[in-house]
Amino acid sequence: MGSINKNWKILVMLAILLAVLLVIMVGPIKARADSSGEQTGTSQDLGEGSLEDQVGHNKIAINFMWVFLGAILVFFMQAGFAMVETGFTQERNAVHVMMTNFTIFAVGTLGYFLVGYALMFGGVGQLLTLGGSEIMNAKLEVAKGWSLFGLKGFALSGTGVYDVGIFLFFLFQVVFMDTAATIVTGGLAERWKFKAFLVYGVFMSAILYPVFGHWVWGGGWLSQLGANVNLGHGFVDFAGSSVVHAVGGLCALAGIYVIGPRMGRFDKEGKPRAIPGHNIPIAIVGVIILVFGWFGFNSASTLSGQDLRFAIVAVNTLLAACAGSLTAMFFMWKKFGKPDPSMTANGMLAGLVAITAPCAFVPSWAAIVIGIIAGFVVCGGVLLLERWRLDDPVGAVAVHGFNGLWGVLAVGLFADGTYGSGLNGVDGAVRGLFFGDAGQFLAQAIGAVACAAFVLGLSLLFFRLQDRIQGIRVSPQEEVDGLDVHEMGVSAYDSGTQLHLGLSHPEPEWEGRRPRKSRSSA
């Protein structure tokens, strides 16, 4: 009884402390809103004005809470990615893999804050559901309607940028950026120098992701293919199959090509040899966390808590995930005689990635079809990479890269004309090829090609230059001993286990393709 009373006292004290902090925080915000003519209506006192004004403020407040909920759900996906990638890799590298997944958020957030957000959304225009003021209004255009990147909002500063709607939108977008950035940590796992990884984090968050993201979500040229050249609604990607997943997956493909396969992954004839992950159960738990977060990833991309289409988005997300998982399971069961747990998990992720672009635009039966195809794509993609002697420890390229591109093409096929009216400045709802609009499919195909060309080209250039200047791969001895020992100075497990692992993994010969003229092992 005494412990219960003690717990209640603690809870009451915490509640009082939170209330005091809230008063302290709200006071300056309100005072600044009252004294500044540049603040949007969203930062004003909701209790003032006419009944109509109050209703309008309440609608914006609902949208704010909806977007904030989505942001924290997507942030929690970071735990899922960390568990998936760590479980799919070897235990002597567990801390290193966890550390890359943990640190990428810190590096990426600062890079996106300083540069990336402005490049991506500096010219996005009005955020109608978050206040409606046209604050982010500067972008570089090669011609009217053909924008390359934004020019306003660097370090969340500049005229009018100190606005609650702009700040909330940054929070929502930075967690999406981090999703793209963390995909690459799995593809290059178990042989990537931590110092090189940190430099990559700046490249992804400040340059690669924001520039392509502007083309699609920031009012850039791909989004305007409908308004400019009458191709449907332009390139459409509702929640990021291309902007987030294909960018991350294809960047990983470029990095994998440059860094080369892990030691012992392929024999002298080039035949693949399995390097099993050390904890498949924890990887599967990670996938469950990712599914949970994905409901925020896709549904909150409406940017409005009043857009009830989110119910269809959520159901389509779930259906595609389940269809992809079962397809991959049965495919591997048929081909290899066992229902491979790791590929079953990756099949679910593949379905999620593929439905992320079309989730708001397609009927439920199409979501299942999209998920089934995604399951085949991820299995075929993994086998194809092995044939090419490219080593992806977690399946990042097949899950995110290949299925990200499939997802945006699926919009151009299955969009049924029930949603998206006015999107990208085009009247009427979004329709795909199977529902009468071949132009939409052509826009999606152009976007997919542009994504692959831009991301692969720039990423290959970056990784090659970084490898030449800095070196991106650890030495053979460090790889054999484990990156936890040499790079982190701490192991995930007890020292006896680590000693046993060191003795049980004799140094193999270098086999398979290595990066040309690489300084990584010097």
Side-chain angles (χ1 to χ4, degrees):
M1 193 68 178
S3 63
I4 295 176
N5 291 333
K6 183 178 180 181
N7 290 336
W8 274 107
K9 289 179 181 178
I10 294 173
L11 289 174
V12 171
M13 291 174 63
L14 287 174
I16 294 172
L17 179 61
L18 288 173
V20 172
L21 289 174
L22 184 62
V23 171
I24 293 172
M25 293 169 64
V26 169
I29 293 174
K30 185 179 183 302
R32 189 184 189 285
D34 292 339
S35 63
S36 173
E38 293 182 351
Q39 291 296 320
T40 67
T42 58
S43 60
Q44 295 172 356
D45 185 359
L46 300 184
E48 298 179 356
S50 66
L51 178 61
E52 182 180 354
D53 290 338
Q54 292 183 45
V55 171
H57 284 311
N58 288 339
K59 288 182 178 180
I60 297 298
I62 290 171
N63 295 342
F64 265 56
M65 292 308 299
W66 175 249
V67 172
F68 179 70
L69 175 63
I72 60 178
L73 282 172
V74 177
F75 172 76
F76 189 56
M77 290 172 67
Q78 192 67 24
F81 276 115
M83 294 172 74
V84 169
E85 294 181 10
T86 302
F88 281 164
T89 50
Q90 299 168 92
E91 59 185 309
R92 65 180 186 268
N93 300 315
V95 174
H96 191 274
V97 176
M98 272 285 182
M99 190 66 168
T100 57
N101 277 268
F102 178 70
T103 312
I104 190 60
F105 197 86
V107 175
T109 295
L110 294 179
Y112 196 66
F113 166 77
L114 293 171
V115 178
Y117 185 57
L119 292 181
M120 190 166 178
F121 291 109
V124 71
Q126 291 179 300
L127 301 176
L128 295 176
T129 63
L130 300 179
S133 295
E134 191 171 350
I135 296 172
M136 305 293 273
N137 54 12
K139 53 190 174 183
L140 177 67
E141 294 181 309
V142 294
K144 184 65 175 178
W146 298 86
S147 175
L148 297 181
F149 50 83
L151 296 171
K152 190 173 184 180
F154 295 98
L156 286 177
S157 62
T159 305
V161 176
Y162 193 60
D163 174 83
V164 289
I166 300 301
F167 271 56
L168 180 64
F169 194 58
F170 167 81
L171 182 67
F172 187 69
Q173 292 299 334
V174 77
V175 292
F176 278 69
M177 175 282 304
D178 182 63
T179 299
T182 202
I183 291 168
V184 184
T185 66
L188 277 69
E190 305 201 273
R191 70 270 206 209
W192 201 3
K193 285 182 179 179
F194 191 72
K195 291 180 180 179
F197 148 77
L198 293 174
V199 176
Y200 147 79
V202 177
F203 164 73
M204 172 61 86
S205 62
I207 301 173
L208 182 68
Y209 175 83
V211 171
F212 183 76
H214 176 79
W215 296 354
V216 183
W217 288 346
W221 69 275
L222 281 176
S223 69
Q224 299 305 304
L225 289 176
N228 291 339
V229 293
N230 201 31
L231 293 180
H233 283 66
F235 183 67
V236 172
D237 184 349
F238 185 73
S241 287
S242 66
V243 175
V244 177
H245 297 284
V247 167
L250 295 174
C251 181
L253 177 59
I256 288 167
Y257 177 79
V258 174
I259 202 170
R262 290 168 292 174
M263 297 172 65
R265 181 65 176 88
F266 298 96
D267 63 23
K268 294 180 179 179
E269 285 74 39
K271 295 180 180 179
R273 296 191 296 200
I275 302 179
H278 83 282
N279 197 330
I280 301 303
I282 197 175
I284 291 177
V285 173
V287 172
I288 294 171
I289 291 174
L290 286 170
V291 175
F292 173 74
W294 225 290
F295 287 116
F297 198 100
N298 285 359
S299 299
S301 290
T302 60
L303 299 181
S304 171
Q306 301 159 80
D307 187 346
L308 302 186
R309 187 72 175 192
F310 81 83
I312 292 175
V313 170
V315 171
N316 283 347
T317 299
L318 181 62
L319 291 174
C322 294
S325 182
L326 292 178
T327 300
M329 182 186 75
F330 285 120
F331 178 90
M332 299 302 288
W333 201 342
K334 174 69 174 177
K335 187 171 182 64
F336 298 104
K338 300 290 182 182
D340 187 333
S342 62
M343 287 305 300
T344 303
N346 269 340
M348 182 162 285
L349 295 179
L352 290 166
V353 169
I355 199 60
T356 294
C359 55
F361 306 108
V362 301
S364 295
W365 64 263
I368 295 174
V369 173
I370 291 167
I372 290 172
I373 295 174
F376 285 117
V377 169
V378 70
C379 293
V382 167
L383 297 175
L384 183 63
L385 290 177
E386 285 188 342
R387 181 175 296 181
W388 291 343
R389 298 172 69 182
L390 295 172
D391 181 19
D392 182 355
V394 304
V397 175
V399 169
H400 301 278
F402 296 164
N403 273 295
L405 296 178
W406 158 233
V408 293
L409 292 176
V411 176
L413 295 173
F414 296 105
D416 63 358
T418 60
Y419 188 72
S421 180
L423 184 63
N424 290 332
V426 178
D427 293 333
V430 179
R431 295 182 183 274
L433 179 63
F434 298 154
F435 292 86
D437 191 351
Q440 187 63 56
F441 180 74
L442 182 56
Q444 298 303 115
I446 292 172
V449 171
C451 179
F454 174 73
V455 175
L456 282 174
L458 190 58
S459 298
L460 278 170
L461 177 63
F462 167 76
F463 282 118
R464 284 194 178 278
L465 286 175
Q466 187 188 25
D467 191 46
R468 181 180 295 273
I469 296 169
Q470 181 184 20
I472 64 175
R473 184 165 185 152
V474 299
S475 69
Q477 187 60 53
E478 289 173 328
E479 189 173 341
V480 170
D481 294 341
L483 276 62
D484 288 358
V485 174
H486 291 279
E487 290 259 290
M488 298 290 104
V490 62
S491 64
Y493 306 96
D494 64 76
S495 58
T497 302
Q498 281 293 323
L499 177 61
H500 171 73
L501 286 172
L503 294 173
S504 63
H505 287 78
E507 181 175 349
E509 299 177 5
W510 273 104
E511 294 171 321
R513 187 191 56 78
R514 295 179 63 188
R516 299 174 185 175
K517 299 181 180 179
S518 173
R519 297 182 65 250
S520 302
S521 303

